[in-house]
Short mmCIF file of all heavy atoms in Angstrom, two decimals:
data_model
loop_
_atom_site.label_atom_id
_atom_site.label_comp_id
_atom_site.label_asym_id
_atom_site.label_seq_id
_atom_site.Cartn_x
_atom_site.Cartn_y
_atom_site.Cartn_z
N ILE A 1259 118.16 100.96 98.69
CA ILE A 1259 118.57 101.60 97.44
C ILE A 1259 119.06 100.52 96.49
O ILE A 1259 119.79 99.61 96.89
CB ILE A 1259 119.69 102.62 97.70
CG1 ILE A 1259 119.22 103.69 98.70
CG2 ILE A 1259 120.14 103.29 96.39
CD1 ILE A 1259 120.34 104.60 99.19
N HIS A 1260 118.67 100.63 95.21
CA HIS A 1260 119.01 99.58 94.25
C HIS A 1260 119.54 100.18 92.95
O HIS A 1260 119.13 101.27 92.53
CB HIS A 1260 117.76 98.73 93.94
CG HIS A 1260 117.12 98.19 95.17
ND1 HIS A 1260 117.55 97.06 95.81
CD2 HIS A 1260 116.08 98.67 95.91
CE1 HIS A 1260 116.80 96.84 96.88
NE2 HIS A 1260 115.90 97.80 96.96
N GLY A 1261 120.45 99.46 92.31
CA GLY A 1261 120.99 99.86 91.01
C GLY A 1261 122.45 99.53 90.88
O GLY A 1261 123.16 99.34 91.88
N TRP A 1262 122.92 99.42 89.64
CA TRP A 1262 124.34 99.20 89.36
C TRP A 1262 124.64 99.59 87.92
O TRP A 1262 123.92 99.20 87.02
CB TRP A 1262 124.74 97.74 89.60
CG TRP A 1262 126.22 97.55 89.47
CD1 TRP A 1262 126.91 97.10 88.40
CD2 TRP A 1262 127.17 97.89 90.46
NE1 TRP A 1262 128.25 97.12 88.64
CE2 TRP A 1262 128.44 97.60 89.92
CE3 TRP A 1262 127.09 98.42 91.76
CZ2 TRP A 1262 129.63 97.83 90.62
CZ3 TRP A 1262 128.26 98.62 92.44
CH2 TRP A 1262 129.52 98.33 91.89
N PRO A 1263 125.66 100.41 87.67
CA PRO A 1263 126.59 100.96 88.67
C PRO A 1263 126.02 102.18 89.41
O PRO A 1263 126.63 102.65 90.35
CB PRO A 1263 127.81 101.35 87.83
CG PRO A 1263 127.22 101.70 86.51
CD PRO A 1263 126.06 100.76 86.31
N ARG A 1264 124.85 102.64 88.96
CA ARG A 1264 124.26 103.84 89.56
C ARG A 1264 122.87 103.53 90.09
O ARG A 1264 122.22 102.57 89.68
CB ARG A 1264 124.20 104.97 88.52
CG ARG A 1264 123.76 106.31 89.08
CD ARG A 1264 123.77 107.41 88.03
NE ARG A 1264 123.30 108.66 88.62
CZ ARG A 1264 124.06 109.51 89.28
NH1 ARG A 1264 125.35 109.25 89.40
NH2 ARG A 1264 123.57 110.61 89.80
N VAL A 1265 122.40 104.36 91.01
CA VAL A 1265 121.05 104.23 91.55
C VAL A 1265 120.04 104.19 90.39
O VAL A 1265 120.10 105.00 89.46
CB VAL A 1265 120.72 105.42 92.47
CG1 VAL A 1265 119.26 105.34 92.94
CG2 VAL A 1265 121.66 105.47 93.66
N SER A 1266 119.09 103.25 90.48
CA SER A 1266 118.01 103.20 89.50
C SER A 1266 116.63 103.25 90.15
O SER A 1266 115.65 103.64 89.51
CB SER A 1266 118.13 101.94 88.63
OG SER A 1266 118.02 100.77 89.43
N ARG A 1267 116.55 102.83 91.42
CA ARG A 1267 115.27 102.89 92.12
C ARG A 1267 115.53 102.78 93.63
O ARG A 1267 116.60 102.34 94.06
CB ARG A 1267 114.33 101.79 91.68
CG ARG A 1267 114.79 100.39 92.04
CD ARG A 1267 113.83 99.32 91.53
NE ARG A 1267 114.32 97.98 91.85
CZ ARG A 1267 114.04 97.35 92.97
NH1 ARG A 1267 113.26 97.91 93.89
NH2 ARG A 1267 114.51 96.13 93.21
N VAL A 1268 114.52 103.16 94.40
CA VAL A 1268 114.58 103.00 95.85
C VAL A 1268 113.29 102.32 96.31
O VAL A 1268 112.26 102.38 95.63
CB VAL A 1268 114.74 104.35 96.59
CG1 VAL A 1268 116.02 105.05 96.16
CG2 VAL A 1268 113.53 105.26 96.35
N THR A 1269 113.37 101.65 97.44
CA THR A 1269 112.20 101.02 98.04
C THR A 1269 111.84 101.78 99.30
O THR A 1269 112.68 102.01 100.18
CB THR A 1269 112.47 99.55 98.38
OG1 THR A 1269 112.80 98.84 97.19
CG2 THR A 1269 111.25 98.91 99.01
N LEU A 1270 110.57 102.18 99.40
CA LEU A 1270 110.05 102.88 100.57
C LEU A 1270 109.16 101.92 101.36
O LEU A 1270 108.54 101.01 100.80
CB LEU A 1270 109.24 104.10 100.16
CG LEU A 1270 109.87 105.09 99.17
CD1 LEU A 1270 108.93 106.26 98.94
CD2 LEU A 1270 111.22 105.55 99.65
N SER A 1271 109.10 102.16 102.66
CA SER A 1271 108.24 101.33 103.50
C SER A 1271 107.43 102.20 104.45
O SER A 1271 107.87 103.26 104.87
CB SER A 1271 109.06 100.31 104.30
OG SER A 1271 109.93 100.97 105.21
N GLN A 1272 106.22 101.71 104.75
CA GLN A 1272 105.34 102.36 105.73
C GLN A 1272 104.55 101.25 106.40
O GLN A 1272 103.58 100.74 105.84
CB GLN A 1272 104.41 103.37 105.06
CG GLN A 1272 103.57 104.17 106.04
CD GLN A 1272 102.66 105.14 105.33
OE1 GLN A 1272 101.83 104.72 104.52
NE2 GLN A 1272 102.80 106.43 105.63
N GLY A 1273 105.00 100.84 107.58
CA GLY A 1273 104.40 99.68 108.21
C GLY A 1273 104.67 98.44 107.37
O GLY A 1273 105.81 98.13 107.04
N GLN A 1274 103.61 97.75 106.96
CA GLN A 1274 103.74 96.55 106.13
C GLN A 1274 103.71 96.87 104.64
O GLN A 1274 103.90 95.98 103.82
CB GLN A 1274 102.60 95.57 106.46
CG GLN A 1274 102.60 95.07 107.90
CD GLN A 1274 103.90 94.37 108.25
OE1 GLN A 1274 104.38 93.51 107.50
NE2 GLN A 1274 104.47 94.72 109.41
N GLN A 1275 103.49 98.12 104.30
CA GLN A 1275 103.42 98.52 102.89
C GLN A 1275 104.82 98.77 102.33
O GLN A 1275 105.68 99.31 103.02
CB GLN A 1275 102.59 99.79 102.72
CG GLN A 1275 101.11 99.64 103.03
CD GLN A 1275 100.37 100.94 102.81
OE1 GLN A 1275 100.50 101.88 103.59
NE2 GLN A 1275 99.60 100.99 101.74
N MET A 1276 105.02 98.42 101.07
CA MET A 1276 106.28 98.66 100.38
C MET A 1276 105.97 99.33 99.05
O MET A 1276 104.94 99.08 98.43
CB MET A 1276 107.04 97.35 100.14
CG MET A 1276 107.30 96.53 101.39
SD MET A 1276 108.46 97.31 102.54
CE MET A 1276 110.01 97.09 101.67
N MET A 1277 106.86 100.19 98.60
CA MET A 1277 106.67 100.92 97.36
C MET A 1277 108.02 101.12 96.67
O MET A 1277 109.02 101.42 97.32
CB MET A 1277 106.04 102.30 97.63
CG MET A 1277 105.82 103.16 96.39
SD MET A 1277 105.32 104.85 96.82
CE MET A 1277 103.85 104.55 97.77
N SER A 1278 108.06 100.93 95.34
CA SER A 1278 109.28 101.16 94.57
C SER A 1278 109.14 102.50 93.85
O SER A 1278 108.11 102.78 93.23
CB SER A 1278 109.48 100.03 93.56
OG SER A 1278 110.67 100.24 92.82
N VAL A 1279 110.17 103.33 93.94
CA VAL A 1279 110.17 104.66 93.32
C VAL A 1279 111.39 104.80 92.42
O VAL A 1279 112.51 104.50 92.84
CB VAL A 1279 110.16 105.77 94.40
CG1 VAL A 1279 110.29 107.16 93.77
CG2 VAL A 1279 108.91 105.68 95.26
N HIS A 1280 111.17 105.27 91.20
CA HIS A 1280 112.29 105.49 90.27
C HIS A 1280 113.15 106.64 90.78
O HIS A 1280 112.65 107.66 91.24
CB HIS A 1280 111.74 105.82 88.88
CG HIS A 1280 112.81 106.28 87.92
ND1 HIS A 1280 113.86 105.48 87.53
CD2 HIS A 1280 112.99 107.47 87.31
CE1 HIS A 1280 114.63 106.14 86.70
NE2 HIS A 1280 114.13 107.36 86.54
N ALA A 1281 114.47 106.46 90.69
CA ALA A 1281 115.42 107.50 91.11
C ALA A 1281 116.76 107.23 90.45
O ALA A 1281 117.12 106.07 90.21
CB ALA A 1281 115.58 107.52 92.62
N ASP A 1282 117.50 108.29 90.16
CA ASP A 1282 118.87 108.11 89.68
C ASP A 1282 119.89 108.74 90.63
O ASP A 1282 121.08 108.76 90.35
CB ASP A 1282 119.04 108.68 88.26
CG ASP A 1282 118.71 110.16 88.17
OD1 ASP A 1282 118.36 110.77 89.20
OD2 ASP A 1282 118.78 110.71 87.05
N ALA A 1283 119.41 109.24 91.78
CA ALA A 1283 120.29 109.76 92.83
C ALA A 1283 119.52 109.77 94.14
O ALA A 1283 118.29 109.90 94.14
CB ALA A 1283 120.77 111.17 92.49
N VAL A 1284 120.24 109.60 95.24
CA VAL A 1284 119.65 109.69 96.57
C VAL A 1284 120.46 110.70 97.37
O VAL A 1284 121.68 110.59 97.48
CB VAL A 1284 119.66 108.33 97.29
CG1 VAL A 1284 119.15 108.49 98.73
CG2 VAL A 1284 118.81 107.32 96.54
N ILE A 1285 119.77 111.71 97.90
CA ILE A 1285 120.42 112.77 98.67
C ILE A 1285 119.94 112.65 100.12
O ILE A 1285 118.75 112.82 100.40
CB ILE A 1285 120.10 114.16 98.09
CG1 ILE A 1285 120.61 114.26 96.65
CG2 ILE A 1285 120.71 115.25 98.96
CD1 ILE A 1285 120.18 115.53 95.93
N ILE A 1286 120.87 112.36 101.02
CA ILE A 1286 120.53 112.17 102.44
C ILE A 1286 120.67 113.51 103.15
O ILE A 1286 121.76 114.07 103.25
CB ILE A 1286 121.43 111.12 103.10
CG1 ILE A 1286 121.45 109.82 102.30
CG2 ILE A 1286 120.97 110.88 104.53
CD1 ILE A 1286 120.14 109.09 102.26
N ALA A 1287 119.55 114.02 103.67
CA ALA A 1287 119.56 115.32 104.35
C ALA A 1287 118.75 115.23 105.63
O ALA A 1287 117.93 116.10 105.94
CB ALA A 1287 119.01 116.41 103.42
N GLN A 1288 118.96 114.19 106.40
CA GLN A 1288 118.16 113.92 107.60
C GLN A 1288 119.05 113.62 108.79
O GLN A 1288 120.14 113.06 108.65
CB GLN A 1288 117.24 112.73 107.34
CG GLN A 1288 116.33 112.37 108.50
CD GLN A 1288 115.38 111.25 108.16
OE1 GLN A 1288 114.89 111.17 107.04
NE2 GLN A 1288 115.11 110.38 109.10
N ASP A 1289 118.56 113.98 109.98
CA ASP A 1289 119.22 113.64 111.25
C ASP A 1289 120.66 114.11 111.30
O ASP A 1289 121.60 113.35 111.06
CB ASP A 1289 119.17 112.12 111.50
CG ASP A 1289 117.78 111.63 111.80
OD1 ASP A 1289 116.87 112.46 111.91
OD2 ASP A 1289 117.60 110.40 111.89
N ARG A 1290 120.86 115.37 111.62
CA ARG A 1290 122.21 115.91 111.70
C ARG A 1290 123.01 115.24 112.83
O ARG A 1290 122.49 114.98 113.90
CB ARG A 1290 122.17 117.42 111.95
CG ARG A 1290 121.68 118.22 110.74
CD ARG A 1290 121.74 119.70 111.03
NE ARG A 1290 121.33 120.48 109.88
CZ ARG A 1290 122.14 120.85 108.89
NH1 ARG A 1290 123.40 120.50 108.92
NH2 ARG A 1290 121.69 121.58 107.89
N ARG A 1291 124.28 114.96 112.53
CA ARG A 1291 125.19 114.36 113.50
C ARG A 1291 126.43 115.25 113.62
O ARG A 1291 126.85 115.86 112.63
CB ARG A 1291 125.62 112.96 113.04
CG ARG A 1291 124.45 112.03 112.67
CD ARG A 1291 123.63 111.62 113.88
NE ARG A 1291 122.45 110.86 113.51
CZ ARG A 1291 122.37 109.52 113.51
NH1 ARG A 1291 123.45 108.79 113.82
NH2 ARG A 1291 121.25 108.92 113.19
N PRO A 1292 127.04 115.31 114.82
CA PRO A 1292 128.25 116.13 114.97
C PRO A 1292 129.39 115.62 114.09
O PRO A 1292 129.56 114.41 113.91
CB PRO A 1292 128.60 115.96 116.45
CG PRO A 1292 127.33 115.54 117.11
CD PRO A 1292 126.61 114.71 116.10
N MET A 1293 130.13 116.55 113.52
CA MET A 1293 131.35 116.20 112.80
C MET A 1293 132.52 116.36 113.76
O MET A 1293 132.74 117.43 114.31
CB MET A 1293 131.55 117.11 111.57
CG MET A 1293 130.58 116.83 110.46
SD MET A 1293 131.06 117.56 108.88
CE MET A 1293 130.95 119.31 109.26
N ARG A 1294 133.26 115.28 113.98
CA ARG A 1294 134.39 115.29 114.90
C ARG A 1294 135.60 114.75 114.14
O ARG A 1294 135.78 113.54 114.03
CB ARG A 1294 134.11 114.41 116.13
CG ARG A 1294 132.83 114.75 116.90
CD ARG A 1294 132.93 116.06 117.64
NE ARG A 1294 133.89 116.05 118.70
CZ ARG A 1294 133.59 116.00 120.01
NH1 ARG A 1294 132.34 115.94 120.40
NH2 ARG A 1294 134.54 116.02 120.92
N ASN A 1295 136.39 115.62 113.57
CA ASN A 1295 137.48 115.17 112.70
C ASN A 1295 138.84 115.70 113.15
O ASN A 1295 139.75 115.86 112.33
CB ASN A 1295 137.21 115.58 111.25
CG ASN A 1295 136.92 117.07 111.11
OD1 ASN A 1295 136.93 117.80 112.09
ND2 ASN A 1295 136.64 117.51 109.89
N ILE A 1296 138.99 115.96 114.45
CA ILE A 1296 140.28 116.40 115.00
C ILE A 1296 140.88 115.22 115.76
O ILE A 1296 140.26 114.69 116.68
CB ILE A 1296 140.11 117.60 115.94
CG1 ILE A 1296 139.45 118.77 115.18
CG2 ILE A 1296 141.45 118.04 116.52
CD1 ILE A 1296 139.09 119.94 116.07
N GLU A 1297 142.06 114.80 115.37
CA GLU A 1297 142.69 113.65 116.01
C GLU A 1297 142.85 113.89 117.51
O GLU A 1297 143.22 114.98 117.95
CB GLU A 1297 144.07 113.40 115.38
CG GLU A 1297 144.75 112.14 115.87
CD GLU A 1297 146.07 111.88 115.18
OE1 GLU A 1297 146.42 112.63 114.23
OE2 GLU A 1297 146.77 110.94 115.59
#
């Protein structure tokens, strides 16, 4: 992810291929993990 102070683009990869995609936000919605927030 690239940009300052805000996201301006992201780099994607597929094997040896690379691609730049314009973006102003990145929303992560992958691979759920347990939330454990009790001391």
